[in-house]
Amino acid sequence: MAYPFGPSQKRDSSSDAVLQWKHKDTSLAQALHDTSMQSQYDAACKRLLSEKIVLAWILKECVPEYREETIDDIMNKYIEGTPEVSSVPVQGSRIQGGNTEDTDLHEGTIRYDIFFRALLPKGKGRLLLLINVEAQNKENPQYPLVSRMVYHLARQTSSQHGVEFTNDHYGDLQKVYSIWICMNAPKHRANSMNVYEITEKQVAGHVKLKKADYDLMTGIVLWLGDPASKEYKGIFKMLHTLLSNKVEEPKKRQVLEEEYDIQMSEKMEKEVSAMCNLSQGILEQGMEKQRIQDEKKVQRQNIKRMKKLLAAGIDKATIANVFDCSVAELEALSPKQTR
C-alpha cells in the first residue's frame, strides 16, 4: 500500500494531517457531486409523480371523493391543468402565483413538491380540492413528518384568502389534501397508510354540525417498501415500482403496463431511464464512499502499527519496506520517536 503522499510533496508532519492528505482536496467536490446526483434523482421522482395518470391512481386509492370514479375520468375530467412541480411556494401570500417567493430563515425558499387542483364529482360537496403531494426519500429526524404535513395543510388553507374566497366568506373555503409518500420506509412501516383529519366530538349535548363545514383538511402518509409483505399490492406496489431505485427499468414497464394499465409515454420513459441511471450512480457513489472509509481505516491501523514498531526500536528501513513507504515519510509520522 502506497503512503498518502509522495516524498516530494509538502506535508504537515502530524499523523492526522498525513492520514487526510489523500482526500482533503476531493471531499468537498465529492460532496457537491453527491448532492447534485441526489437532487437530480429527487427531481426525476417528483416529475414522475406529477404525471396525471399517476396522480389519478393516488386520488382513486387514497382520496374518498374519487373512490367510485374511473382512472380515465379522474385524469381527464377532474384534475385541472398541468400539476405544478416545485414552483408553488408554501409560504406565500396566495396559493397561486408561482413567481412569488418567500423564504424560511433556515431552509430558504420552501415549495410544494407537487401542487394541483382537482374538480369534485357532482354531489361531493364543494367545487374542488387543492392537493399537495410530497415525495420523501427518508424522514427528517429533526422534526416529526406529520407535524410538517399539518403545517402544509394550514398554509394551503390560509393561502386561499383572496383567491378562492374574499372578505369573510369562509363558506367558500375549498378542502385541502396533503399526501406524503415515504419511499424508503423502515420495514415495520412499509405498505402502510395513515389518514389525519378534523372530526367532530360531542362532549356535552347532542349538537351535530354538517361535516362539510369542518371537514376541510386531510393529511395522508403512505410508507412504501418491503415487496415480500402480503400488503405489497395496489397503490403501494404501483408507487414502489415506479419510484424504487431497486426495480430495474424493464420490470417497471412490465408491472405498470400489465397491472395498472399505465402506458409509458415518451416523457415517462425518459424520466424512468434518468432515475434508474441516477440511482445506479448514487449506488456506485455509496460503494466508493465505503471503499474510501475502508481505506482510511486501514491507514489508521497501519499508522498505529508503525508507531508501535518505531517505539520498539525496529529499523526504520525495515518498517518502510513492509508498509511500502519511504523512510522520510515514516519520519514525518512521529518526529520524536525517530530521532
Side-chain angles (χ1 to χ4, degrees):
M1 180 200 77
Y3 216 55
F5 51 75
S8 63
Q9 291 177 280
K10 184 179 180 180
R11 56 191 180 270
D12 190 319
S13 62
S14 70
S15 58
D16 286 343
V18 170
L19 181 63
Q20 295 171 11
W21 182 273
K22 184 175 180 180
H23 309 289
K24 70 177 183 178
D25 291 331
T26 60
S27 59
L28 178 58
Q30 184 64 45
L32 291 172
H33 182 63
D34 293 351
T35 301
S36 175
M37 290 282 283
Q38 187 62 58
S39 296
Q40 291 177 61
Y41 178 82
D42 292 345
C45 287
K46 293 173 189 178
R47 289 192 294 268
L48 280 172
L49 279 174
S50 71
E51 288 288 323
K52 279 192 173 183
I53 192 166
V54 175
L55 293 175
W57 271 101
I58 293 173
L59 293 186
K60 183 172 178 64
E61 295 290 318
C62 303
V63 179
E65 288 89 342
Y66 298 99
R67 197 152 291 156
E68 305 302 319
E69 308 301 321
T70 66
I71 293 294
D72 187 67
D73 279 351
I74 297 171
M75 182 171 58
N76 296 309
K77 289 174 57 176
Y78 299 125
I79 296 177
E80 282 194 329
T82 301
E84 300 183 70
V85 181
S86 299
S87 63
V88 178
V90 176
Q91 293 183 327
S93 58
R94 298 180 179 223
I95 200 71
Q96 294 177 308
N99 291 328
T100 303
E101 292 188 359
D102 272 329
T103 57
D104 180 274
L105 181 60
H106 303 290
E107 297 189 45
T109 301
I110 305 173
R111 300 177 184 277
Y112 298 112
D113 282 358
I114 300 164
F115 179 81
F116 65 101
R117 297 152 61 93
L119 297 172
L120 280 167
K122 290 183 179 178
K124 298 290 185 179
R126 285 169 162 71
L127 297 176
L128 55 85
L129 301 178
L130 306 179
I131 302 169
N132 156 231
V133 176
E134 296 287 321
Q136 295 286 296
N137 268 320
K138 58 183 178 180
E139 295 187 33
N140 191 322
Q142 296 178 0
Y143 55 79
L145 180 68
V146 70
S147 297
R148 185 174 180 183
M149 181 180 68
V150 170
Y151 175 76
H152 276 219
L153 287 167
R155 289 299 304 149
Q156 285 175 263
T157 301
S158 65
S159 297
Q160 292 183 51
H161 190 273
V163 179
E164 306 300 341
F165 75 98
T166 58
N167 300 323
D168 295 334
H169 299 160
Y170 294 101
D172 293 332
L173 266 173
Q174 303 302 314
K175 185 174 181 178
V176 299
Y177 273 88
S178 190
I179 303 171
W180 294 67
I181 300 169
C182 299
M183 293 181 281
N184 296 303
K187 195 169 183 178
H188 68 280
R189 291 190 184 183
N191 305 312
S192 300
M193 178 168 66
N194 284 9
V195 176
Y196 304 87
E197 57 189 357
I198 298 175
T199 59
E200 182 180 69
K201 183 178 180 180
Q202 296 164 324
V203 178
H206 305 284
V207 175
K208 190 172 180 64
L209 300 180
K210 188 167 69 171
K211 184 178 180 180
D213 290 341
Y214 60 82
D215 182 28
L216 295 172
M217 296 191 296
T218 297
I220 300 173
V221 183
L222 292 94
W223 290 276
L224 309 181
D226 193 9
S229 166
K230 65 180 181 179
E231 290 84 13
Y232 186 71
K233 55 188 176 182
I235 193 66
F236 301 113
K237 184 176 182 179
M238 190 274 279
L239 290 174
H240 180 263
T241 300
L242 181 68
L243 302 174
S244 175
N245 59 9
K246 297 179 181 178
V247 181
E248 295 182 352
E249 189 174 345
K251 183 65 175 179
K252 287 181 187 285
R253 178 192 295 275
Q254 179 187 356
V255 171
L256 294 172
E257 291 185 353
E258 294 181 3
E259 298 187 30
Y260 298 93
D261 197 25
I262 297 178
Q263 302 302 314
M264 301 285 281
S265 66
E266 184 177 343
K267 179 183 174 184
M268 287 187 71
E269 286 182 352
K270 181 179 178 181
E271 296 296 352
V272 166
S273 180
M275 190 175 70
C276 289
N277 290 336
L278 286 165
S279 65
Q280 181 61 33
I282 292 168
L283 175 62
E284 290 171 356
Q285 287 176 8
M287 294 171 65
E288 176 64 12
K289 283 182 178 179
Q290 185 61 52
R291 185 193 68 76
I292 292 173
Q293 289 174 0
D294 291 344
E295 185 176 305
K296 286 182 176 181
K297 183 177 179 181
V298 170
Q299 290 172 351
R300 285 193 292 268
Q301 291 172 342
N302 284 344
I303 286 174
K304 289 180 180 179
R305 294 188 184 107
M306 286 186 279
K307 284 184 174 182
K308 287 182 179 179
L309 292 173
L310 287 168
I314 304 299
D315 179 66
K316 287 179 286 184
T318 301
I319 299 173
N321 183 58
V322 170
F323 288 93
D324 191 21
C325 66
S326 69
V327 172
E329 291 168 343
L330 184 62
E331 290 175 343
L333 185 64
S334 183
K336 290 182 180 181
Q337 292 178 336
T338 58
R339 286 176 182 170

